[in-house]
Amino acid sequence: MSVETPCINICTLDPASRICIGCGRTLDEIARWGTMSGEERKRIVAGLRDRLATFKGTPVPPAR
């Protein structure tokens, strides 16, 4: 099963955290995405929602 990129075409890195403000990935994750295994991609995608919420300072409602 392939895991699509979480990119939403808002490709701007926050200078302090070095996290993309669009998708929540780090520069290293973005650079390595094409060579990552499906499991590694799934692990990253699973954490992006919480990562972005923490970065943006907003509470994360429970997943449904």
Side-chain angles (χ1 to χ4, degrees):
M1 174 182 179
S2 90
V3 178
E4 294 298 316
T5 178
C7 180
I8 59 170
N9 296 317
I10 302 175
C11 305
T12 304
L13 286 181
D14 173 71
S17 66
R18 311 239 336 127
I19 291 176
C20 175
I21 64 171
C23 68
R25 294 178 294 169
T26 65
L27 185 58
D28 180 61
E29 290 166 345
I30 293 166
R32 294 185 314 106
W33 191 260
T35 61
M36 287 180 180
S37 69
E39 287 301 313
E40 192 172 10
R41 288 179 179 188
K42 281 195 272 189
R43 181 185 52 77
I44 290 168
V45 168
L48 291 179
R49 182 171 167 256
D50 289 340
R51 185 188 291 178
L52 278 172
T54 300
F55 165 71
K56 294 178 179 179
T58 56
V60 178
R64 292 181 182 208

